[in-house]
Amino acid sequence: DIVCAAVSALIETLTLGLTQVSSQPPQGVVDPGRADMAFVRPMSSETRAIVETMVAGLQDLARSEPDAVQFDTERTGNEII
């Protein structure tokens, strides 16, 4: 459906941006229906901009489609999970 496609596009764009723009590929696992990623701090300004943009997009989708999208973050030590 369109919500799933939107989440997939955000995750794929995150991966491309981190790999091609900031040269810091994400750490984590992406499976159908679930993405678990960790970002080690401190982040470069490019990495932070890419990650924060993706976070904003996923949070917006989770607010507008709570039955379809669940978004959680944790901050532990030097990681944002």
Side-chain angles (χ1 to χ4, degrees):
D1 76 359
I2 194 156
V3 176
C4 181
V7 171
S8 294
L10 285 168
I11 298 298
E12 288 298 318
T13 301
L14 169 73
T15 301
L16 285 171
L18 291 177
T19 302
Q20 294 180 8
V21 175
S22 74
S23 300
Q24 295 178 335
Q27 300 173 14
V29 177
V30 178
D31 291 322
R34 183 176 184 91
D36 293 307
M37 298 182 159
F39 305 95
V40 178
R41 296 182 302 179
M43 290 184 236
S44 69
S45 59
E46 292 90 1
T47 299
R48 180 167 296 287
I50 293 165
V51 170
E52 294 297 333
T53 300
M54 186 269 313
V55 166
L58 289 175
Q59 287 175 329
D60 187 58
L61 279 172
R63 277 191 298 275
S64 65
E65 300 292 338
D67 293 335
V69 179
Q70 187 175 21
F71 182 77
D72 298 309
T73 61
E74 293 179 27
R75 295 178 191 265
T76 59
N78 283 344
E79 292 186 340
I80 300 171
I81 302 173

